[in-house]
Amino acid sequence: MKFFIDTANLDQIKEAQDLGVLDGVTTNPSLMAKEGISGTENVKAHYKAICDIVDGDVSAEVIATDYDAMIKEGEELAAIDEKIVVKIPMIKDGVKALKYFSTKGIKTNCTLIFSAGQALMAAKAGATYVSPFIGRLDDISTDGLDLIESIRVIFDNYDFGTEILAASVRHPMHIIQCAQIGADVMTGPLSAMEALLKHPLTDIGLAKFLEDHAKANS
Ligand code: E4P
């Protein structure tokens, strides 16, 4: 399973890249705003800065919601760097835009997926990734992982090449369960990735090893 970090924060992206397990980055307009990035040229420069840090796909979301404007904006985003994946919302014009970009060989990430039907539409239109938001489903008492499972079955039934990018991941158990189900990618915060490597018995065991070594060598 690929690990993407879901942030526009350059320090966190660098930290995840240095950890050696990072396969890409996802951003969205809220995450860009959180970093105080505004204005077309600043936004493009920030995407370029992210691309210069990571080895892998970097999702950059269009703001436009009508077909022509999405195509223009998506092409401009794709021109920033070959790592850019154009992130398109799951709306009717978005499906048409996914089809356009897939025929042009430009990678896409269909975002704001909350049902298996939406994922199927995006896959039919040739999306590179679909992003089901599992945390936001959990927030409204609906099991987000059930959705990942349904999409996995559908994509496997028909050998769709579209990758399932489990998004809105909030904690380490989400990552483990996505891996068990067979999500192709997960995107989440650095804290959720780092939580995977922690275990109290590891810390206790290491402290004992070091203590015994110190005694034997004193
Ligand atoms: C996905 O690409 C989105 O940026 C993201 O995962 C949304 O996560 P949130 O629900 O924690 O905002």
Side-chain angles (χ1 to χ4, degrees):
M1 182 167 69
K2 287 186 256 184
F3 278 19
F4 288 1
I5 189 168
D6 195 31
T7 184
N9 182 283
L10 298 181
D11 290 337
Q12 286 193 18
I13 294 169
K14 275 183 204 133
E15 210 173 323
Q17 175 69 26
D18 288 348
L19 193 56
V21 299
L22 192 67
D23 301 297
V25 176
T26 52
T27 64
N28 63 40
S30 304
L31 292 171
M32 293 292 276
K34 194 173 162 193
E35 298 307 314
I37 313 296
S38 62
T40 313
E41 290 315 310
N42 288 339
V43 166
K44 285 183 183 171
H46 198 75
Y47 285 137
K48 183 63 186 157
I50 294 174
C51 291
D52 288 344
I53 297 171
V54 296
D55 300 321
D57 288 347
V58 175
S59 287
E61 187 161 342
V62 296
I63 304 300
T65 53
D66 74 275
Y67 177 77
D68 290 331
M70 264 192 265
I71 300 304
K72 182 173 179 293
E73 195 183 345
E75 282 180 334
E76 284 172 9
L77 289 171
I80 295 171
D81 194 286
E82 58 183 16
K83 294 173 190 166
I84 292 287
V85 174
V86 181
K87 202 171 180 189
I88 306 274
M90 172 35 78
I91 54 177
K92 197 168 175 181
D93 279 19
V95 172
K96 293 180 194 169
L98 290 171
K99 183 71 192 175
Y100 171 86
F101 286 122
S102 84
T103 58
K104 293 282 172 188
I106 292 175
K107 285 187 179 181
T108 52
N109 173 359
C110 186
T111 189
L112 292 165
I113 296 277
F114 292 96
S115 76
Q118 291 179 319
L120 180 56
M121 281 297 279
K124 290 280 295 172
T128 312
Y129 299 102
V130 286
S131 285
F133 279 33
I134 60 177
R136 291 193 194 186
L137 282 170
D138 288 356
D139 288 344
I140 56 158
S141 310
T142 303
D143 193 343
L145 291 159
D146 281 353
L147 176 58
I148 302 294
E149 217 157 8
S150 302
I151 299 171
R152 182 73 281 156
V153 169
I154 293 169
F155 284 11
D156 288 350
N157 281 348
Y158 299 100
D159 277 338
F160 279 115
T162 301
E163 293 187 47
I164 302 172
L165 194 173
S168 188
V169 158
R170 303 272 169 79
H171 51 72
M173 283 313 293
H174 268 158
I175 302 178
I176 292 165
Q177 288 164 324
C178 281
Q180 286 169 333
I181 293 166
D184 300 290
V185 191
M186 79 82 201
T187 190
L190 181 60
S191 58
M193 290 181 213
E194 287 182 339
L196 288 179
L197 64 85
K198 291 180 186 147
H199 197 288
L201 289 179
T202 304
D203 297 339
I204 293 167
L206 181 59
K208 178 73 177 138
F209 287 158
L210 296 179
E211 185 190 322
D212 290 345
H213 173 82
K215 273 186 208 154
N217 291 277
S218 61

